[in-house]
Amino acid sequence: MNIFRLAGDMSHLFSILLLLLKIHTIKSCAGVSLKTQELYALVFATRYLDIFTGYISLYNTLMKMFFLWSSFTIVWYMRYHNVVRRSYDKDQDTFRHYFLILPCFILALLVHEKFTFLEVLWTFSLYLEAVAILPQLVLLQRTRNVDNLTGHYVFFLGAYRSFYILNWIYRYFTEQNYYKWITWISGLVQTALYADFFYYYVKSWRNSERLQLPA
Amino acid sequence: SSGVTDKDEL
């Protein structure tokens, strides 16, 4: 564990806590894409099956359990909670997220490190995570006056990805035989998707304005 | 470690 990896994990944890805070305390999910949240639940469910097959560390297991629990909890709130579900921008959140799942699965069947059940699902989760933010970015663009919590949520998600890239660079130079092409390329694609958002986020922060993405 | 099996990252 290096400082970049830890910073990445903490950003990820913090982004989810922000989202849970908004949903649980303010009882609103305005501006949050259910499509993206469903994709994350699928990402974690397919990646963390190794909870049952191997042990890495207590930290690792607890984090995986938190990500699984929180992603399904958020989806539950947005779909079924009496108050929260009414604040969901259903008409704006129109991204056809099912169309992301099949291509990612086919790609995982074709490009993977080992053709085993767990390995293909793990690879699928990497490809899917890379594009899972797309419905959220589209929704942000459609929402005039993005509220602060939603903006910060996406910012910390993007920060998590950026720290992971620094972590990979650090590990490449400090560990022997550390290379993971599939993880790196999907991670780079994922981080690149945030570039545009970051630009407008920093701009609105510097001008102390509310975040507004161009239509 | 070959990079294939060690999935210590989240």
Side-chain angles (χ1 to χ4, degrees):
Chain A
M1 176 80 81
N2 58 66
I3 189 73
F4 304 112
R5 161 78 197 284
L6 185 64
D9 285 350
M10 290 306 114
S11 298
H12 195 185
L13 192 67
F14 188 64
S15 70
I16 295 173
L17 289 175
L18 278 180
L19 189 56
L20 281 171
L21 176 83
K22 175 180 157 88
I23 290 177
H24 181 78
T25 311
I26 306 170
K27 294 279 184 289
S28 162
C29 63
V32 179
S33 166
L34 177 61
K35 308 292 177 75
T36 284
Q37 297 306 320
E38 287 178 344
L39 290 177
Y40 281 141
L42 184 59
V43 163
F44 295 137
T46 48
R47 183 177 308 168
Y48 295 156
L49 288 171
D50 62 357
I51 275 187
F52 303 106
T53 60
Y55 178 79
I56 292 158
S57 65
L58 183 64
Y59 171 84
N60 202 279
T61 305
L62 288 177
M63 291 291 271
K64 284 174 177 172
M65 287 170 69
F66 174 78
F67 290 138
L68 277 167
W69 168 80
S70 59
S71 61
F72 281 92
T73 299
I74 291 165
V75 169
W76 177 84
Y77 261 114
M78 294 184 69
R79 274 176 170 268
Y80 305 114
H81 188 278
N82 258 337
V83 181
V84 175
R85 70 188 165 95
R86 277 184 234 144
S87 59
Y88 170 48
D89 302 325
K90 195 180 179 182
D91 300 332
Q92 305 272 18
D93 191 22
T94 53
F95 198 96
R96 310 286 276 273
H97 65 329
Y98 291 110
F99 288 149
L100 293 175
I101 297 173
L102 190 65
C104 288
F105 189 69
I106 292 170
L107 191 61
L109 285 175
L110 297 174
V111 185
H112 47 254
E113 290 186 32
K114 261 192 305 185
F115 191 65
T116 63
F117 181 70
L118 282 183
E119 193 69 25
V120 168
L121 282 187
W122 181 79
T123 312
F124 164 73
S125 81
L126 287 178
Y127 296 150
L128 191 62
E129 188 189 0
V131 292
I133 195 66
L134 283 174
Q136 179 64 66
L137 292 176
V138 169
L139 180 60
L140 276 187
Q141 211 156 46
R142 287 183 180 166
T143 313
R144 299 281 96 201
N145 289 319
V146 179
D147 74 87
N148 286 333
L149 276 178
T150 312
H152 298 335
Y153 163 68
V154 178
F155 172 77
F156 280 101
L157 264 186
Y160 142 61
R161 296 316 312 179
S162 311
F163 280 125
Y164 256 71
I165 290 180
L166 296 176
N167 156 56
W168 295 329
I169 295 170
Y170 180 84
R171 289 187 74 170
Y172 179 78
F173 286 109
T174 55
E175 289 174 35
Q176 279 198 322
N177 296 319
Y178 178 82
Y179 51 88
K180 296 180 173 184
W181 290 110
I182 292 177
T183 313
W184 292 348
I185 291 168
S186 347
L188 279 174
V189 169
Q190 190 179 353
T191 315
L193 293 181
Y194 287 91
D196 195 51
F197 170 84
F198 270 136
Y199 172 79
Y200 290 103
Y201 182 88
V202 171
K203 204 169 109 175
S204 72
W205 175 73
R206 286 178 56 160
N207 301 337
S208 349
E209 293 164 345
R210 265 193 137 174
L211 178 63
Q212 245 187 341
L213 303 182
Chain B
S1 65
S2 64
V4 176
T5 47
D6 61 330
K7 305 214 185 313
D8 57 331
E9 289 175 359
L10 300 160

